[in-house]
Amino acid sequence: MKAPAAAPTPKGAAVVLSVPEAVEAFINDGATLHARKHRIRIAGQFTDLFGDLGGWLKAPLARRLEAPSGVRGFAVRLALATATPADAGYVAVANAGWGYRLADVDPDFAMLFSATAYRLGWGDQQIGRQWAVLAKLAAVAGRPAGQLTEPYFGQARDRLAEVVRVQRGKVPSTLTTPVHGLRATLAASGILEAPGGKQVGDRGRPGHWSHLENHAPVLVRTMRRYLAQLAISMRPGSVKLIDTTLRHLATYLADHHREVTTAMLIRRTRIEGFKAWMQARPGYRGSRTPAKTTIGMRIGHLRGFFDRIIEWGYDDVPDRTPVFAGDIPLRDRPLPRFLEDEAAVKLLTAARRLPDLFDRVCVEVLARTGLRKGEFLRLTTTAIVRIGDGEWLHVPVGKLRTDRYIPLHPRVKTLLGQWLEHRADQPGRLMFTELGRLIPQTRVDSAVRRAATAAELGHVTPHQLRHTLATQAINRGMSLEAIAVLLGHRSMSMTMTYARISDRTVAEEYFAVTKQVEALYDCAPALPADAAGPNMQRLQLETSRRLLGNGYCTRPAEIGCRYETICETCT
């Protein structure tokens, strides 16, 4: 791997020492003569066992782990003080007091780190875990902790996580949680650019692809090449969904058709089997089968994959696309789920009583603005703007790649003002940050769920609040064009969904006709003689006359006739 370009040294960063200087500093840090003599003995033990730092790095893992605790700690301090890279295998399993060793090496940065973490709201135990993980990442990267900038941080994190994943089968929360918080603290310290996501790595995708590559390297290479191209032009979330679909297909082939190791060998029968395999998998939220939308999405991903690699001229392609438009199931188009007015009032009343400020702000702002979760969380601290005589809320670029301004409700302004005052010490431009990092979407789900539980409404989702606002607006006469602008719809076809919920014209015409129909049912069964209008009288006359060859017979139908064959309609 090519070494990343050197980054500027942050202010106050530790100076990298040579090995003799690091040994001397270790000995001189002893507070008493007895302590210094003890440290000299530890340094001597290290020399006797490993010779020097290079010998320690080359020694087998088991031999290094069997060394006395003092020797292990001395070795770690030497590696940190001299910025010598340590192998991730040792770092992952060695119990060497990593945090203490780093604090001894760089006490100034330790004080800066603690002050920043306290300002963000972290507790003592959380700060200690973050600092220990920072020491391990600095050891893996071979850089001072205060210079662990991108991409050194990401590379060290991924190497350590991969070793832990191999050892334990997964990356435990004891590593992912401190790493997530550590990134936020380093970002607030000016070392990293911005807080990252919750997960270490990418939810196991690299490891899963590596496992699949052992079975079908050509197929995996084709799929990953395709994903790399999509990443240039599509949103990361969309690429991740397609990534999952392709990994599902590769997994199915590896488990059921091991002879299929290339895209070229994927025939129609394999796709039919994959469809059945998907249908048999459990669905979301405890459903026995996946939703039609999920299956349709997966099949659409596969159709796009085969169509594109054939069009792009890849070497590993089938003769023709084995996925057809008819494979995509017909989607149900149910009406949006919304809360009735009474339920909406209960929800907002319960939300205002929630103890957590974010929960109160989240539920009411979503209900009054119709924002999507992602749009809500990406609001900036400067989102409230004045245009002309009014104040507006600037909604950033979201799902449909557009931004917009919506009128600012006084209640929304008050709530957002309370939150801005609460987050005063948080870094960054995003409004909804906590502990130096972006609040995750799961917190939004939890806030709405808590309000719904308190209001005894059952399961309510954040998107239902968006549907509720649109339904309330259209029921009260707001135009579809205005609703489209409020919700940020790209086309009127999206907004027309809400017109199906309550069409005022249909309702008015229906009730107007209903009054006339009800009048029929309410009147007497016998009508007066003059009730029939001229049209009805003409119709009755036509039915009572019989057609002759050259005109109409005027003989009443009740009177018999000897010339039955003369009339064309005579019975």
Side-chain angles (χ1 to χ4, degrees):
M1 181 181 296
K2 184 178 179 180
T9 302
K11 183 178 179 180
V15 177
V16 178
L17 304 178
S18 64
V19 173
E21 291 173 337
V23 174
E24 183 180 0
F26 170 73
I27 295 172
N28 292 337
D29 281 347
T32 63
L33 177 62
H34 176 73
R36 288 191 289 274
K37 288 182 179 180
H38 177 66
R39 292 188 174 214
I40 291 174
R41 286 196 297 271
I42 291 177
Q45 283 183 296
F46 176 81
T47 303
D48 293 339
L49 289 173
F50 303 105
D52 56 12
L53 187 58
W56 176 77
L57 291 171
K58 295 178 182 178
L61 177 61
R63 184 183 171 198
R64 283 182 284 169
L65 292 175
E66 291 172 355
S69 60
V71 173
R72 294 199 305 271
F74 174 71
V76 167
R77 173 161 176 163
L78 279 186
L80 292 172
T82 61
T84 301
D87 56 291
Y90 178 81
V91 173
V93 297
N95 182 13
W98 294 91
Y100 296 112
R101 308 307 171 188
L102 180 57
D104 290 339
V105 169
D106 198 350
D108 293 338
F109 183 66
M111 293 179 61
L112 173 64
F113 183 90
S114 296
T116 303
Y118 278 125
R119 177 168 58 85
L120 295 179
W122 296 106
D124 291 334
Q125 190 175 34
Q126 296 165 320
I127 295 173
R129 290 173 179 172
Q130 290 180 24
W131 182 251
V133 170
L134 176 60
K136 294 182 179 182
L137 296 181
V140 172
R143 291 183 65 82
Q147 300 179 33
L148 199 60
T149 55
E150 294 287 7
Y152 299 105
F153 180 91
Q155 293 173 358
R157 175 202 61 197
D158 292 343
R159 285 205 297 270
L160 183 61
E162 186 59 30
V163 169
V164 173
R165 183 182 291 110
V166 171
Q167 292 174 348
R168 304 189 185 183
K170 65 176 183 178
V171 183
S173 59
T174 52
L175 177 60
T176 58
T177 300
V179 165
H180 186 40
L182 171 62
R183 179 156 195 135
T185 304
L186 292 180
S189 303
I191 296 173
L192 296 180
E193 295 180 359
K198 268 188 171 182
Q199 289 77 20
V200 174
D202 197 6
R203 298 189 179 184
R205 283 182 170 84
H208 196 182
W209 278 120
S210 299
H211 174 73
L212 293 170
E213 194 170 16
N214 295 331
H215 166 67
V218 177
L219 176 61
V220 169
R221 189 159 52 248
T222 301
M223 289 180 170
R224 302 197 75 174
R225 177 186 174 187
Y226 171 72
L227 291 170
Q229 289 298 310
L230 294 186
I232 298 174
S233 56
M234 298 180 67
R235 286 188 177 275
S238 301
V239 177
K240 285 185 177 182
L241 289 174
I242 299 173
D243 181 298
T244 301
T245 299
L246 296 182
R247 285 187 296 114
H248 282 179
L249 176 61
T251 300
Y252 165 75
L253 294 175
D255 293 343
H256 299 86
H257 304 284
R258 297 191 64 83
E259 74 282 359
V260 180
T261 58
T262 64
M264 186 182 302
L265 297 177
I266 299 178
R267 297 291 183 262
R268 174 64 191 174
T269 53
R270 305 300 180 237
I271 297 300
E272 292 175 355
F274 178 65
K275 289 169 57 181
W277 179 79
M278 281 196 301
Q279 184 66 35
R281 290 169 60 86
Y284 177 64
R285 293 181 59 84
S287 176
R288 289 184 297 177
T289 58
K292 287 183 179 180
T293 52
T294 301
I295 294 179
M297 177 189 67
R298 301 294 182 203
I299 295 175
H301 291 165
L302 292 182
R303 181 174 172 83
F305 167 69
F306 288 111
D307 285 346
R308 286 172 177 153
I309 64 174
I310 292 174
E311 183 180 356
W312 294 348
Y314 282 21
D315 295 331
D316 180 28
V317 296
D319 297 334
R320 61 172 185 158
T321 302
V323 183
F324 305 106
D327 291 324
I328 300 177
L330 296 177
R331 293 175 54 186
D332 298 329
R333 297 190 178 276
L335 290 170
R337 292 188 301 157
F338 62 94
L339 299 179
E340 297 180 358
D341 292 345
E342 182 180 355
V345 171
K346 288 183 179 179
L347 184 73
L348 282 189
T349 302
R352 292 175 180 175
R353 298 171 181 167
L354 294 175
D356 185 77
L357 175 61
F358 175 79
D359 291 350
R360 299 196 299 272
V361 172
C362 174
V363 176
E364 191 154 359
V365 170
L366 289 179
R368 291 187 181 275
T369 62
L371 295 179
R372 302 178 180 92
K373 284 191 298 184
E375 294 172 339
F376 170 73
L377 292 175
R378 283 193 295 272
L379 290 175
T380 64
T381 54
T382 58
I384 299 176
V385 297
R386 175 170 289 277
I387 303 176
D389 296 332
E391 288 185 307
W392 298 70
L393 185 67
H394 179 222
V395 182
V397 174
K399 177 181 178 181
L400 300 182
R401 301 177 183 268
T402 58
D403 62 349
R404 65 188 185 277
Y405 290 91
I406 62 176
L408 185 63
H409 191 283
R411 177 65 180 169
V412 173
K413 179 182 178 181
T414 301
L415 290 168
L416 294 181
Q418 292 175 359
W419 177 259
L420 287 172
E421 184 179 354
H422 169 76
R423 73 164 301 281
D425 292 333
Q426 295 293 314
R429 295 182 63 251
L430 292 177
M431 182 181 296
F432 293 104
T433 57
E434 198 171 53
L435 299 175
R437 56 190 180 181
L438 176 66
I439 293 177
Q441 292 194 10
T442 51
R443 280 284 303 278
V444 178
D445 297 329
S446 299
V448 176
R449 183 172 60 250
R450 279 190 280 268
T453 301
E456 299 180 349
L457 296 178
H459 180 67
V460 178
T461 66
H463 211 71
Q464 279 181 265
L465 304 185
R466 178 177 170 86
H467 294 323
T468 300
L469 178 68
T471 305
Q472 291 171 342
I474 200 170
N475 281 343
R476 286 154 179 81
M478 189 173 181
S479 68
L480 290 175
E481 293 80 3
I483 294 176
V485 174
L486 177 67
L487 300 182
H489 287 165
R490 181 179 294 172
S491 65
M492 286 300 298
S493 61
M494 302 173 69
T495 317
M496 286 299 295
T497 303
Y498 299 102
R500 295 163 53 205
I501 295 177
S502 176
D503 191 318
R504 297 176 65 86
T505 302
V506 172
E508 291 171 358
E509 293 187 5
Y510 168 75
F511 286 114
V513 172
T514 300
K515 292 179 180 179
Q516 300 179 28
V517 174
E518 291 295 334
L520 281 178
Y521 296 146
D522 294 338
C523 65
L527 296 177
D530 59 351
N535 291 335
M536 182 62 75
Q537 293 175 356
R538 180 178 58 81
L539 182 61
Q540 291 176 341
L541 180 62
E542 291 291 340
T543 57
S544 65
R545 293 191 299 180
R546 286 165 289 180
L547 184 64
L548 297 176
N550 58 349
Y552 288 97
C553 175
T554 60
R555 187 181 185 87
E558 294 80 6
I559 302 176
C561 178
R562 291 182 299 172
Y563 307 103
E564 294 181 357
T565 58
I566 297 178
C567 298
E568 296 180 4
T569 60
C570 184
T571 58

